[in-house]
Amino acid sequence: MSVKAQKPKAKIKANSVVGNIILWLAVLAVILPLVWVFLTSLKSNQDFYSNVWGLPKEWVWSNYARAWERGNIGSGVINSVVVSLGALAVNLVCSTTSAYALSRFEFRGRKALYGLYVAAIMVPSIITLIPQYFMLLQLNLLDTRLGLILVYGLSSVPFSTFMLFGFFKALPHELEEAAMIDGAGYIKTFRTIMLPLAQPGVITVMIVNFIDYWNEYYKAMSYVTTPSKLTIPVGLVQFTQQSQYRIDWGALMASNIIMIIPTIVVYCIFQNSIQKGLTAGAVKG
């Protein structure tokens, strides 16, 4: 009996070891390229070609200053921050109110409207590139940060609404009834009670969308042409194209490090909130 009882434990332990190995391999697959990019950002071009995989022979920190100045990374960072935060504001106003209305109120066509939101998530964003271009053209919003903010913020409303729907739907109706008895209207109830209770979901949506806005390239390239208004992904590509036959690898990799730092910092700060939000959304949805 004792021998039989030990077999399942040994099997569980073996599975755990295999799982840990797979996880560590996945971690290395993500971290090692980032470490290589960081080390390359501190090399001279000569050092890069003669010592691709090794440590820098001389730590060239001036690559970051050169990338910031010659590659217009500074203006790209500012434009990306403005566009990302503006798009987040537009998205949250639209998605939180939509998710609250769809999850808490009964009205004709509610299920069809919710199904339309879900169907919109499945549409590849590249398909909407040309229609959105002509819409911005008619509104005189091409080559403006405002146009990019509206495109980003409104395009992600279906996904954000879908994510927040489960959070609002799971909240007790007694809270709304108590607020109504105290004289609070729908807007005040939403703003002071329902929205704070859905905070984990709201934070999760904010972070996921921020990373998406920050890294987006095709729409920013298509809708904005003025160099001073370009976001950082487009600026990086143009910086590479300007190099022509001789790429400044140190400055280019420094530009990539500057680009990914904000997303890493944001994720590290809100990591626990994101995990709670995803878990709660999975259970409540």
Side-chain angles (χ1 to χ4, degrees):
M1 293 295 293
S2 60
V3 175
K4 292 182 179 180
Q6 290 178 357
K7 287 185 178 180
K9 292 183 179 180
K11 186 176 181 180
I12 293 174
K13 187 175 181 179
N15 291 337
S16 177
V17 171
V18 173
N20 288 334
I21 292 174
I22 294 174
L23 287 175
W24 277 110
L25 290 175
V27 169
L28 291 175
V30 173
I31 291 180
L32 288 180
L34 294 178
V35 172
W36 182 85
V37 171
F38 174 71
L39 293 176
T40 304
S41 71
L42 298 172
K43 293 180 180 180
S44 62
N45 259 19
Q46 182 179 1
D47 190 10
F48 171 76
Y49 286 114
S50 63
N51 183 31
V52 176
W53 302 109
L55 294 173
K57 296 178 181 178
E58 182 181 355
W59 300 75
V60 186
W61 293 98
S62 59
N63 287 338
Y64 285 86
R66 193 164 62 254
W68 190 270
E69 296 172 2
R70 288 178 50 194
N72 292 323
I73 300 302
S75 63
V77 169
I78 294 173
N79 291 330
S80 290
V81 169
V82 171
V83 170
S84 297
L85 294 182
L88 274 180
V90 172
N91 176 265
L92 288 177
V93 170
C94 296
S95 60
T96 53
T97 51
S98 299
Y100 176 65
L102 289 171
S103 61
R104 309 301 291 188
F105 302 109
E106 293 288 341
F107 55 90
R108 182 177 297 178
R110 182 179 69 90
K111 293 183 178 180
L113 183 59
Y114 178 71
L116 188 62
Y117 274 101
V118 175
I121 300 174
M122 305 176 188
V123 178
S125 61
I126 195 69
I127 293 178
T128 63
L129 194 66
I130 296 177
Q132 287 174 348
Y133 178 89
F134 285 107
M135 290 176 65
L136 292 177
L137 180 63
Q138 292 177 353
L139 296 172
N140 293 322
L141 291 176
L142 274 179
D143 199 24
T144 64
R145 298 184 188 93
L146 178 59
L148 208 54
I149 287 172
L150 293 177
V151 167
Y152 283 178
L154 296 177
S155 297
S156 54
V157 166
F159 166 76
S160 302
T161 301
F162 174 75
M163 287 285 294
L164 293 171
F165 179 86
F167 287 91
F168 284 114
K169 191 173 182 62
L171 297 177
H173 286 275
E174 290 78 9
L175 297 174
E176 288 174 299
E177 295 172 356
M180 294 295 180
I181 294 174
D182 291 337
Y186 291 115
I187 296 178
K188 186 176 181 180
T189 302
F190 167 74
R191 180 172 53 85
T192 60
I193 298 177
M194 310 305 287
L195 192 58
L197 290 175
Q199 182 179 354
V202 173
I203 292 177
T204 302
V205 167
M206 286 176 59
I207 303 307
V208 172
N209 283 331
F210 175 81
I211 295 175
D212 185 37
Y213 301 153
W214 186 267
N215 295 320
E216 203 282 325
Y217 170 74
Y218 291 105
K219 292 181 180 179
M221 178 191 66
S222 302
Y223 305 152
V224 178
T225 56
T226 303
S228 61
K229 299 177 183 178
L230 296 177
T231 57
I232 190 169
V234 183
L236 281 176
V237 174
Q238 291 198 353
F239 180 42
T240 305
Q241 294 172 348
Q242 290 171 2
S243 302
Q244 294 183 353
Y245 301 108
R246 185 179 182 276
I247 299 177
D248 189 348
W249 289 104
L252 180 61
M253 295 303 172
S255 302
N256 281 277
I257 292 296
I258 294 173
M259 177 180 173
I260 65 177
I261 283 176
T263 56
I264 293 176
V265 170
V266 168
Y267 182 81
C268 290
I269 293 175
F270 296 101
Q271 180 180 4
N272 292 332
S273 299
I274 295 174
Q275 292 175 351
K276 291 178 182 178
L278 291 175
T279 304
V283 175
K284 294 177 182 178

